[in-house]
Structures are given as C-alpha cells and as structure tokens.
C-alpha cells in the first residue's frame, strides 16, 4: 500500500462513521467490489465438468447464492457441509448455489482446476464449482476471503454479502443464519435485515 | 485441514502450562519429541505469555496508551500459511527496534482448544513475542472494532501509536520491508 495521509484516513473514518456503518471506504488493494443494492455482473466460468456456467443459464432462478470458496482454506472446509446443505435446501426453491474458486492456481496449487475436480467429486457437489481463472469476476464482486457469499436476486441485484452464519467452527452453535435469512427475505419480497457481515477467512490468493 | 482436538478442558491445559512454566523454563511440556526442544542459547518461551482472551481485553490493549510505543498487533492463525511466513520477521522486530519504542503482540485466531497447536508452532519457530488467543466465535462482534476496513481475511496487522493518535491497518500479507516502512512512519 502506498503512503496514505493519516489525516485523510481519519477524516474519512469520521465522515463515514457518521454517515453509514457499512460504507466501504477502505483504502484497499482491490478497487471496486459490490455493495448491497448493486447489480452484479454475470460471468462465464468453467465448471468442474468442463462446461461453462453463467447465471443466465438458470432460467427459473428466483435468485442466486454465489459463494467464493476454495479447496485449501480451513474456513472454507468448515463451511463446506453448510454450502452443500444450502444448495440442497434452496436450489429446488429457485436459489441455486454457484461456487467460484477465486484462487490463482500457481499461487495455491491445491486450488488448481484438477484439484477442484477431485474436491467436487469427493464431496459430491451438486452445484457448479467453477474456476475464476483470470480473477476478473472475483475482483468485480470485490470478494476478499474464502468463503465469501453474495446472495443475488433474480435480476442479479446484490441483497446480501458476507458469511453464511455467525459461527464458523460449529454450525450447531450458530444463532444467526445470514444467508438463509436473506433468502427468506427475497421470498417475501423484502430486503434482508442484515445485508452485510464479515467473517474470518483466508485471503484470496492473487496472481502475482 | 483443521482437525480440532475435541473437548480439551482449558483448565487442564492451563494447569499444565502453569506447571511446565514453574518446573522448567525450557520444559517441553508437550512431550512431543525433539521438534520443540530448545538448545542452549535459545530463548525459551514463557508459557504464561500465551493467554486466552475475550475481545474487550484486546480492545483495551489497542486503545490504552500507557507509553509512547508503537504497538504492532498481528492477527494470525496456525492454519494460515501466509501468516506463518510473516511471523519470524514480526517476532524479530524486538531486535530491530528499541523495545521501548516498538512492542509486538501476536493475536492468534485459532480456537481455544487448539492452544497446544499454537504452542507447538511458537516453539518450532522459536518465537518469543507475546501471544494472545482471541476466544470469540462471532467475528462480527470484533472485526469492525479492530478496524472497519478489515475484511476478516488473515493475516492482518494493526499498528497503533496512541500517544500521537496514529494508526495504520494493513489487511494483507506484508514483507519485512513494508512492515518496517509503516512502523518508521509512526515513529517519525
């Protein structure tokens, strides 16, 4: 990160703290990224079965659960079962999971396309597990961690960004189910009460 | 992949820690072979320097200014490879800078029942900085309080100099040179 004037940062902090607690004012290495309310772009990314996947392929979708996740992050592993469950629970209702692996495979060989195929097969993924080889989609969405969830409505409007629930370690102990709540809100034509959360996770491995 | 140790009673862990600390400052209380053994000349870890804390204690540490020091607070975990890469040079800041000017705190986000894993790593890497293990299951209760720009990704490093009201948050993997440049900014 380049030299940044602290006075400016603090002014910004103060300004945004007063205007919106959700504001993405950060001086980040990844410019852009979506906020709730933005319209997310579609993509065309290669699935583990060799076919290209786009959101537009889903003719009857009422929304999408787009999850940036990977093979190698322990937090992604902790949430893997819950991701599988989300798809099981909501795909038939019109909200499919689309998992995107954002990691550069030379930075993280465990996330290579071939390893993704192995992972999807071993864990019996019923949803696409696509590779964002150029990391263009990851950057456009502004994903920073794995796992990082974007719930979109049928018009690709972002209604929720963040974690699946509030307990990575133990699904049983979670008592806030952010993604499920977002989908319930969509079902009722409402905006989710909580539209953005944060989670501990692994940094996305960017191509150098 | 994390394979968490199940149901480790923290009281037991602490008793063992205390016991080891009292009986031998070099004690390899893990009984885990030679990997963690110190040889003459090494700095033995003070086992009492690892403590499991809740966020308010960390917040107080971050915000309280008792001196003029730059506090380097690094968030890491044993499962985070880029974090482990950084630890040695963060730990060695103790030698690069006057201890009266720069202070290091390593905040582990491992789960509390993985304290022994944290300890093993610290021993293996011969790290002597103070380590606190943050025991909070809901990250939304603390991430923004550490810094609103923190996405939650590890590693992350917060530099604070309370006497001059300066802070720099670095939510990414750093090089030694980058870290020192930022510290120098706060020192000057």
């Amino acid at each position: 990160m380049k030299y940044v004037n602290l006075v400016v940062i603090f002014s910004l902090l103060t300004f945004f703290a007063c205007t919106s607690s959700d504001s993405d004012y950060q001086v980040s290495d990844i410019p852009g990224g979506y906020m709730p309310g933005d319209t997310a772009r579609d993509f065309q990314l290669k699935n583990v079965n060799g076919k290209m996947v786009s959101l537009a392929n889903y003719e009857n979708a009422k929304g999408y659960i787009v999850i940036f996740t990977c093979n190698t992050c322990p937090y992604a592993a902790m949430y893997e079962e819950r991701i599988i469950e989300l798809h099981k629970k909501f795909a038939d209702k019109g909200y499919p999971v689309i998992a995107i692996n954002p990691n550069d495979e030379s930075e993280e060989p465990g996330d290579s396309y071939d390893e993704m195929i192995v992972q999807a097969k071993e864990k019996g993924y019923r949803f696409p597990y696509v590779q964002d080889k150029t990391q263009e989609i990851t950057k456009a969405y502004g994903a920073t961690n794995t796992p990082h969830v974007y719930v979109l409505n049928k018009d690709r409007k972002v209604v929720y960004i963040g974690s699946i629930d509030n307990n990575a370690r133990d699904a049983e102990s979670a008592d806030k189910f952010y993604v499920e709540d977002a989908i319930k809100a969509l079902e009722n034509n409402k905006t989710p009460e909580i539209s953005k959360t944060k989670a501990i996770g692994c940094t996305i491995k960017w191509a150098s | 992949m994390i394979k968490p140790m199940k149901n480790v009673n923290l009281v037991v862990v602490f008793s063992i820690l205390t016991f080891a600390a009292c009986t031998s400052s070099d004690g390899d209380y893990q009984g885990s072979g030679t990997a963690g053994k110190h040889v003459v000349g090494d700095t033995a870890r003070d086992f009492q320097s690892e403590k499991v804390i809740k966020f308010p204690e960390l917040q107080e540490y971050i915000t309280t200014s008792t001196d003029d020091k730059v506090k380097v607070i690094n968030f890491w975990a044993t499962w985070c490879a880029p974090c482990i890469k950084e630890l040695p040079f963060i730990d060695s800041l103790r030698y690069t800078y006057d201890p009266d000017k720069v202070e290091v705190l390593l905040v582990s986000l491992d789960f509390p029942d993985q304290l022994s894993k944290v300890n093993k790593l610290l021993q293996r890497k011969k790290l002597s900085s103070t380590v606190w293990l943050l025991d909070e299951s809901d990250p939304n209760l603390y991430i923004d309080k550490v810094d609103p720009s923190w996405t939650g990704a590890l590693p992350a490093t917060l530099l604070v100099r309370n006497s001059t009201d300066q802070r720099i948050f670095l939510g990414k993997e750093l090089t030694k040179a980058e870290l020192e440049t930022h510290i120098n900014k706060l020192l000057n």
Side-chain angles (χ1 to χ4, degrees):
Chain A
M1 219 190 271
K2 296 270 158 60
Y3 178 77
V4 178
N5 190 319
L6 282 172
V7 178
V8 173
I9 291 196
F10 275 105
S11 316
L12 285 173
L13 280 176
T14 317
F15 175 70
F16 280 105
C18 298
T19 49
S20 160
S21 59
D22 262 346
S23 289
D24 192 10
Y25 61 87
Q26 62 174 302
V27 185
S28 157
D29 289 330
I30 313 152
Y34 299 134
M35 293 297 291
D38 290 347
T39 299
R41 56 163 293 181
D42 201 350
F43 43 77
Q44 203 177 18
L45 298 172
K46 195 170 160 193
N47 191 9
V48 285
N49 65 5
K51 292 182 180 153
M52 302 305 275
V53 171
S54 293
L55 298 178
N57 297 152
Y58 292 85
E59 279 173 16
N60 301 313
K62 294 195 268 178
Y64 309 90
I65 307 169
V66 177
I67 307 180
F68 292 87
T69 189
C70 67
N71 293 351
T72 52
C73 174
Y75 269 73
M78 282 186 256
Y79 271 114
E80 189 174 37
E81 256 334 291
R82 279 172 265 187
I83 293 171
I84 292 170
E85 284 304 312
L86 277 175
H87 185 73
K88 227 184 242 172
K89 194 165 174 183
F90 293 111
D92 288 347
K93 293 182 178 158
Y95 306 91
V97 165
I98 296 107
I100 301 179
N101 189 324
N103 285 345
D104 180 71
E105 62 177 55
S106 39
E107 292 291 317
E108 184 56 87
D111 282 314
S112 69
Y113 182 70
D114 289 342
E115 292 295 333
M116 286 172 58
I117 295 172
V118 173
Q119 183 84 1
K121 200 175 258 177
E122 266 178 19
K123 304 293 167 130
Y125 288 1
R126 298 290 183 86
F127 46 82
Y129 186 26
V130 301
Q131 186 183 37
D132 185 16
K133 206 163 183 170
T134 63
Q135 302 186 310
E136 187 190 345
I137 301 305
T138 308
K139 285 176 190 160
Y141 277 62
T144 53
N145 312 2
T146 49
H148 204 157
V149 185
Y150 290 72
V151 177
L152 317 178
N153 75 5
K154 65 173 168 28
D155 303 318
R156 284 185 275 109
K157 195 177 113 181
V158 179
V159 298
Y160 172 77
I161 302 174
S163 62
I164 290 174
D165 58 34
N166 69 340
N167 195 317
R169 180 76 182 284
D170 179 17
E172 301 282 306
S173 303
D175 57 9
K176 286 177 186 154
F177 304 95
Y178 305 119
V179 169
E180 294 207 15
D181 289 349
I183 292 167
K184 279 178 201 157
L186 273 183
E187 282 280 83
N188 296 314
N189 290 320
K190 284 185 182 154
T191 312
E193 232 167 87
I194 298 173
S195 60
K196 196 165 190 284
T197 60
K198 290 183 175 182
I200 295 299
C202 308
T203 41
I204 284 168
K205 307 299 181 291
W206 301 106
S208 48
Chain B
M1 274 284 263
I2 279 187
K3 287 198 181 122
M5 281 167 66
K6 296 253 164 69
N7 299 322
V8 176
N9 189 318
L10 279 178
V11 177
V12 173
V13 170
F14 276 112
S15 313
I16 295 172
L17 285 176
T18 315
F19 176 70
C22 294
T23 47
S24 157
S25 61
D26 260 347
D28 184 7
Y29 69 94
Q30 312 267 7
S32 60
T34 52
K37 280 256 165 71
H38 292 282
V39 293
V40 177
D42 282 352
T43 314
R45 273 200 71 74
D46 169 5
F47 293 115
Q48 284 168 326
S49 66
E50 286 105 72
K51 61 174 178 177
V52 179
I53 53 140
K54 289 285 179 186
F55 184 68
E57 187 168 348
L58 176 61
Q59 196 172 27
E60 197 189 324
Y61 173 79
I62 293 172
T63 53
T64 307
S65 102
T66 49
D67 49 43
D68 190 32
K69 285 181 194 174
V70 172
K71 295 175 182 177
V72 179
I73 301 151
N74 172 254
F75 295 87
W76 68 287
T78 55
W79 49 261
C80 164
C83 301
I84 291 168
K85 228 162 73 187
E86 289 182 340
L87 286 177
F89 69 76
I90 296 176
D91 188 64
S92 74
L93 291 173
R94 295 175 297 124
Y95 306 112
T96 319
Y97 292 94
D98 182 343
D100 289 333
K101 296 214 165 116
V102 175
E103 186 172 276
V104 173
L105 172 64
L106 304 177
V107 179
S108 157
L109 296 183
D110 289 277
F111 299 116
D113 62 4
Q114 292 164 333
L115 196 59
S116 68
K117 200 174 164 188
V118 174
N119 270 314
K120 265 185 204 162
L121 185 121
L122 296 171
Q123 290 201 9
R124 187 159 43 85
K125 296 273 177 186
K126 300 191 167 64
L127 305 175
S128 305
S129 301
T130 305
V131 178
W132 288 358
L133 190 147
L134 180 60
D135 176 19
E136 294 288 357
S137 61
D138 187 348
N140 287 288
L141 301 180
Y142 66 85
I143 288 179
D144 282 344
K145 289 180 187 162
V146 170
D147 195 277
S149 73
W150 186 14
T151 63
L154 295 182
T157 306
L158 176 65
L159 308 177
V160 188
R161 190 181 186 188
N162 285 316
S163 58
T164 54
D165 253 347
Q166 288 168 291
R167 58 190 276 152
I168 299 175
F169 180 79
L170 303 156
K172 60 166 190 171
E173 187 184 342
L174 301 169
T175 63
K176 187 172 194 279
E178 275 174 313
L179 178 59
E180 291 183 0
T181 307
H182 287 293
I183 292 172
N184 292 340
K185 262 185 249 165
L186 291 194
L187 283 173
N188 294 328

